[in-house]
Amino acid sequence: MIRPINKDVEILRRKSAAASKKDIQTAYDLLDTLKAHQNSCVGMAANMIGINKRIIACFFGPFPVLMINPEITRKFGPYTAEEGCLSLEGKRVAKRFNHIEVTYLDEHFIKQHQKLDGFNAQIVQHEIDHCNGILI
């Protein structure tokens, strides 16, 4: 189900709780909402639809990916990026890393590990910041 975009910064600043199997519908709603905004958005965190759970959805090129309880385990190659967000007005500067490794659970709750570079790494960092209550 497509959910409205949350723009309440007080909700967005709250650190998200770990997700469990009972939160799978939230994950699917997040993915549906991301797909509905794919012309203007490449990633979303669950708090962007008003649910404080550690779930993100990202487009890696044309492919949507769900990440449940994502954690960055390694990062290197710092740089400064200018980013926008559907939940916030305008663009802001953020410190990012060109290379990251992330562990997460997929939609079947199977542990995954990925190495990401460039823009895909930037998307995941932005969304994990949302999970941690960090706004750009």
Side-chain angles (χ1 to χ4, degrees):
M1 175 171 70
I2 299 169
R3 302 273 187 117
I5 301 299
N6 172 39
K7 296 182 183 266
D8 183 336
V9 293
E10 292 307 314
I11 292 172
L12 294 169
R13 284 190 177 129
R14 291 184 198 142
K15 191 170 182 177
S16 297
S20 67
K21 289 183 179 181
K22 68 180 182 173
D23 298 308
I24 194 64
Q25 189 57 54
T26 296
Y28 292 139
D29 289 353
L30 183 64
L31 193 56
D32 288 345
T33 305
L34 176 62
K35 288 176 182 177
H37 292 276
Q38 67 184 354
N39 290 334
S40 59
C41 185
V42 292
M44 284 188 175
N47 63 0
M48 292 177 66
I49 58 170
I51 301 169
N52 261 13
K53 293 292 182 168
R54 290 189 69 83
I55 304 169
I56 68 173
C58 307
F59 274 112
F60 294 157
F63 306 105
V65 176
L66 273 172
M67 295 184 177
I68 299 167
N69 299 325
E71 296 291 340
I72 295 171
T73 58
R74 187 168 183 228
K75 57 188 177 184
F76 59 97
Y79 68 97
T80 301
E82 185 176 79
E83 299 177 348
C85 180
L86 281 182
S87 290
L88 304 169
E89 295 294 323
K91 292 190 176 195
R92 296 176 175 88
V93 172
K95 181 180 179 181
R96 298 293 179 221
F97 294 85
N98 199 38
H99 310 282
I100 66 168
E101 292 184 29
V102 62
T103 59
Y104 62 95
L105 301 174
D106 65 18
E107 65 186 288
H108 305 291
F109 285 80
I110 297 170
K111 190 172 184 177
Q112 302 292 329
H113 179 87
Q114 278 195 320
K115 293 180 180 181
L116 298 169
D117 298 307
F119 191 54
N120 290 343
Q122 183 178 343
I123 296 166
V124 169
Q125 290 169 83
H126 179 105
E127 303 315 329
I128 289 177
D129 276 358
H130 271 295
C131 292
N132 293 327
I134 299 168
L135 302 179
I136 57 170

